[in-house]
Amino acid sequence: MEEEKKKRAQRKMPREESELLSRFAAYLEEREGGTSFPNVAGFCRYCGRGEEWFGEMKRKYPESGDVILTALEDAALNADRSPTLVTAYLKHRLGYGEAAGEARGGMPEVVFVDRSFARDGE
């Protein structure tokens, strides 16, 4: 009965910014010692909501959204996971690299490196 009450409370839309942050803190506490690092999808699942809900919360409470994303970034960077997995998560889920892409008009930066094997021995 108590568990069901807790789940219903998690699904309610936060009325205040502090309520959103409290839920996030509870999510982190529950994840403590888990096998995966905390993430946006996990937080949404914990709250019984989809990712559109999180987008709404970021628009409604931009500062708290930034705090949450910063905490998730920190958790990813400090996770004992493969660098490839962490990089993919940061790029595709937290938007790493978007600002740089926008500055170039959305075009990826292409870098050419002259690696002439014939000259390597010289």
Side-chain angles (χ1 to χ4, degrees), residues 71-86:
L72 294 175
E73 175 185 339
D74 182 58
L77 290 170
N78 291 303
D80 188 20
R81 296 284 180 256
S82 83
T84 303
L85 174 67
V86 172

Side-chain angles (χ1 to χ4, degrees), residues 86-97:
V86 172
T87 300
Y89 175 72
L90 292 172
K91 283 180 77 173
H92 299 287
R93 302 297 290 169
L94 297 185
Y96 258 52

Side-chain angles (χ1 to χ4, degrees), residues 3-88:
E3 185 67 28
E4 184 60 34
K5 200 174 186 181
K6 179 181 171 186
K7 285 186 179 193
R8 271 188 270 129
Q10 288 169 338
R11 288 188 184 105
K12 285 184 182 176
M13 289 293 263
R15 287 183 232 152
E16 297 179 8
E17 218 164 347
S18 61
E19 193 177 336
L20 177 64
L21 291 174
S22 292
R23 284 191 202 171
F24 183 68
Y27 165 69
L28 290 179
E29 192 173 299
E30 191 172 286
R31 297 287 320 134
E32 190 84 23
T35 58
S36 63
F37 51 84
N39 57 74
V40 172
F43 178 52
C44 291
R45 183 172 163 221
Y46 174 80
C47 292
R49 299 293 184 144
E51 289 189 45
E52 280 188 36
W53 168 82
F54 184 69
E56 282 179 45
M57 293 297 99
K58 283 188 342 187
R59 286 187 291 283
K60 188 173 181 179
Y61 307 119
E63 191 171 324
S64 290
D66 189 45
V67 166
I68 289 169
L69 291 176
T70 300
L72 294 175
E73 175 185 339
D74 182 58
L77 290 170
N78 291 303
D80 188 20
R81 296 284 180 256
S82 83
T84 303
L85 174 67
V86 172
T87 300

Side-chain angles (χ1 to χ4, degrees), residues 100-113:
E102 290 169 4
R104 292 186 303 274
M107 297 298 294
E109 183 176 352
V110 178
V111 178
F112 293 96
V113 179

